[in-house]
Amino acid sequence: MSAELIHRRRWAILAVLLLSVLVTVLDNSILNVAIQTLAQPSPTGLGAGQSQLEWAVNSYTLVFAGLLLTGGVLGDRLGRKKALLFGMFVFGVASALCAYASSPAELITYRGLMGIGSAFTPPATLAIIAQIFEPEEQPRAIGIWTGVVGLAVAAGPIAGGALLEYFWWGSIFLVNVPIVIIALIAMVVLVPESRDERAGRLDPVGVLLSIAGMTLLVYGVIKGGQLGDFTRPGAWGPGLGGLAVLAGFVLWERRTEHPAFDMAYFRDRRFAGAVTAIGVCSFALMGVTFFMVFYAQSVRGYSALETGLLLLPLAAAQMYLAPRARHLVARFGARAVCAGGLLVNAVAFAGFLLLGRSTPVWVLAVLFALMGAGLALVFPPATVMIMSSMPREKAGAGSAINNVFRQVGGAIGIAVLGSLLSAAYRSGVRDDVDVLPAGVRHAAGESIQATLSAAARLGPEGRGLVGPANDAFIHAMHLTAATAAVASALGAVIVLVTMAGKPSADPRRASAPPGDGGPRPQGAEARR
């Protein structure tokens, strides 16, 4: 495919790439609204227990995060189109298997297989965007990419609620299959192949170290969130082991002649500041949206579909502002825009302190719109900075780093803020659950849903638990939201300090794209 033809088709190619991102992100958020259905006995659900439900979600996250860097590196070395086609094919097959899983164990296994497919998809899409768009168009294209990610996060619960209302639980997975088939056909026809032509031999030691380190770290984070106690050996043991392996990965990459990822990029303060902004933003966002589902459904009594609709202001704000963030970057600089976005998020999270049992729904809409605006001011500029900080031939690895910090930040946010929420809630209902039989008190204090379920089994005697449970949850939610607000504000300070100064004078980088202030990848003139 000629360079001129690729240039003419670049927006059509972007549309195809967005389809792959939409389906992978959408399905992950769809599952969140199906948890209650999967817990019910067959044929309505799978009769999954609490631990099995958690691993149905976490098996995907664990595999996805563990293989992200590997997926990006292999795409650079072997071909990004090949990596994208492989990832989408595996994702589609795993989706079909999930739809017809006959047990929780099968669902957990197939969700892990979906994680393998997804690990090859986002790095390849961003890397291909870096290849087909000129530097001056990349901020707009990446803004659209991040906007679609935000849309998928919000659309997932809506689509899931609608499907569960009319079809069986497997439909939330089966809906992926026709979309994947269409995407694969369009990719074969439209998407050009690209790779790092100057790459040396593969770095199997580095690849294995990155997989082992990321998997252990994310497993420790997930386990700590499940236990609600990061001091337990089952949590800190794997976490520290993962950090040790990742330290070995860094040392190996600095010594080998053909590293999977060049650690020298982290010496660029602007690169480091950008990945920090993405990690902090994901930490706070995922932790807050985690407890918002319980607030909407357990405290306010909204259905799964209504809960999903509450996220529409977030999606709308992000979809509108993300492609336009480049104009603010051109005027004020990426550092100011990213820091400003984190501060907007801090204000939105602090606004959750206003929420009570009967707060008007428009307050929620405003807070979610603010969250969407904050995300739109952080993710696009930070992603552009990461991608433009690296040579074009390393775009897959750069995209993988972007997604690693996004995914790991989100996993840590759910685990840490979820544990804080759980601990505060348990403390708040400790005296109230004494009316329950001794054998169920501990389990009933784990979450508001567990308390309400135990109260329902008691009949009229359990009604007195509903009010205290709601009050305890709202207090725990306020504490968690305040923590997320503080984290976002500290992230803004870190970004202001880290991104200060001039870009590194690295010979691997050229001049910055107009208005972005960031370094420009090599080879930009070659496509003109």
Side-chain angles (χ1 to χ4, degrees), residues 406-472:
R406 186 192 298 259
Q407 191 69 22
V408 174
I412 294 175
I414 291 175
V416 173
L417 296 182
S419 298
L420 176 62
L421 179 78
S422 178
Y425 176 77
R426 182 182 290 279
S427 176
V429 297
R430 181 181 293 116
D431 296 334
D432 299 291
V433 296
D434 286 344
V435 301
L436 297 172
V440 301
R441 289 174 190 169
H442 181 80
E446 288 183 351
S447 67
I448 184 173
Q449 192 59 47
T451 305
L452 295 179
S453 297
R457 287 194 294 271
L458 279 180
E461 297 179 4
R463 292 174 185 168
L465 272 177
V466 175
N470 287 337
D471 291 338

Side-chain angles (χ1 to χ4, degrees), residues 43 73 81 108-109 120 131 238 241 248 301 327 331 362 374 381 409 411 438 490 526:
V73 169
K81 181 176 180 178
I108 292 169
T109 301
F120 286 83
Q131 303 300 309
H327 300 306
R331 183 169 182 179
W362 66 263
L490 288 176

Side-chain angles (χ1 to χ4, degrees), residues 277-481:
I278 286 175
V280 171
C281 201
S282 298
F283 170 89
L285 171 69
M286 295 305 294
V288 169
T289 52
F290 174 77
F291 72 65
M292 280 308 303
V293 172
F294 293 98
Y295 170 73
Q297 295 188 18
S298 299
V299 177
R300 302 299 296 268
Y302 294 134
S303 68
L305 180 57
E306 291 169 333
T307 300
L309 290 172
L310 286 174
L311 294 174
L312 280 180
L314 185 151
Q318 192 170 358
M319 279 291 293
Y320 178 78
L321 290 174
R324 295 167 173 80
R326 69 190 192 280
H327 300 306
L328 292 174
V329 172
R331 183 169 182 179
F332 301 107
R335 178 175 66 143
V337 173
C338 285
L342 285 166
L343 289 176
V344 170
N345 274 342
V347 171
F349 298 145
F352 285 109
L353 299 176
L354 302 174
L355 300 181
R357 290 197 208 181
S358 57
T359 305
V361 71
W362 66 263
V363 176
L364 274 172
V366 171
L367 293 177
F368 280 130
L370 277 176
M371 287 174 60
L375 297 176
L377 296 177
V378 175
F379 285 134
T383 302
V384 169
M385 189 171 293
I386 291 170
M387 299 303 292
S388 63
S389 295
M390 304 182 68
R392 177 169 296 150
E393 62 269 16
K394 303 295 184 184
S399 175
I401 289 294
N402 171 74
N403 283 282
V404 163
F405 274 79
R406 186 192 298 259
Q407 191 69 22
V408 174
I412 294 175
I414 291 175
V416 173
L417 296 182
S419 298
L420 176 62
L421 179 78
S422 178
Y425 176 77
R426 182 182 290 279
S427 176
V429 297
R430 181 181 293 116
D431 296 334
D432 299 291
V433 296
D434 286 344
V435 301
L436 297 172
V440 301
R441 289 174 190 169
H442 181 80
E446 288 183 351
S447 67
I448 184 173
Q449 192 59 47
T451 305
L452 295 179
S453 297
R457 287 194 294 271
L458 279 180
E461 297 179 4
R463 292 174 185 168
L465 272 177
V466 175
N470 287 337
D471 291 338
F473 180 84
I474 290 171
H475 171 72
M477 179 183 72
H478 289 168
L479 179 62
T480 307

Side-chain angles (χ1 to χ4, degrees), residues 152-385:
V153 170
I158 300 172
L163 287 169
L164 291 172
E165 190 167 339
Y166 297 105
F167 304 100
W168 100 111
W169 65 265
S171 63
I172 66 173
F173 297 109
L174 197 61
V175 71
N176 296 332
V177 176
I179 301 175
V180 168
I181 292 173
I182 293 171
L184 285 172
I185 295 172
M187 287 171 189
V188 171
V189 174
L190 290 175
V191 177
E193 182 61 282
S194 64
R195 62 173 60 86
D196 182 0
E197 300 293 348
R198 296 185 294 176
R201 63 178 183 272
L202 287 173
D203 176 22
V205 174
V207 167
L208 292 175
L209 286 174
S210 71
I211 294 174
M214 287 300 303
T215 302
L216 284 171
L217 175 62
V218 175
Y219 177 83
V221 169
I222 290 172
K223 198 64 179 176
Q226 288 180 328
L227 298 172
D229 183 2
F230 286 89
T231 65
R232 301 270 290 274
W236 61 258
L240 285 181
L243 290 174
V245 173
L246 289 175
F249 168 72
V250 172
L251 292 175
W252 173 262
E253 296 301 283
R254 294 178 64 180
R255 294 179 58 186
T256 184
E257 294 182 0
H258 301 281
F261 183 81
D262 190 349
M263 292 295 145
Y265 293 111
F266 283 99
R267 297 175 188 169
D268 187 332
R269 295 171 62 187
R270 302 172 76 252
F271 179 90
V275 296
T276 299
I278 286 175
V280 171
C281 201
S282 298
F283 170 89
L285 171 69
M286 295 305 294
V288 169
T289 52
F290 174 77
F291 72 65
M292 280 308 303
V293 172
F294 293 98
Y295 170 73
Q297 295 188 18
S298 299
V299 177
R300 302 299 296 268
Y302 294 134
S303 68
L305 180 57
E306 291 169 333
T307 300
L309 290 172
L310 286 174
L311 294 174
L312 280 180
L314 185 151
Q318 192 170 358
M319 279 291 293
Y320 178 78
L321 290 174
R324 295 167 173 80
R326 69 190 192 280
H327 300 306
L328 292 174
V329 172
R331 183 169 182 179
F332 301 107
R335 178 175 66 143
V337 173
C338 285
L342 285 166
L343 289 176
V344 170
N345 274 342
V347 171
F349 298 145
F352 285 109
L353 299 176
L354 302 174
L355 300 181
R357 290 197 208 181
S358 57
T359 305
V361 71
W362 66 263
V363 176
L364 274 172
V366 171
L367 293 177
F368 280 130
L370 277 176
M371 287 174 60
L375 297 176
L377 296 177
V378 175
F379 285 134
T383 302
V384 169
M385 189 171 293

Side-chain angles (χ1 to χ4, degrees), residues 3-25:
E4 182 61 29
L5 181 60
I6 292 172
H7 181 74
R8 290 203 308 267
R9 292 181 174 179
R10 66 194 185 283
W11 295 109
I13 295 170
L14 176 63
V16 174
L17 299 177
L18 294 179
L19 192 61
S20 66
V21 173
L22 180 67
V23 70
T24 53
V25 177

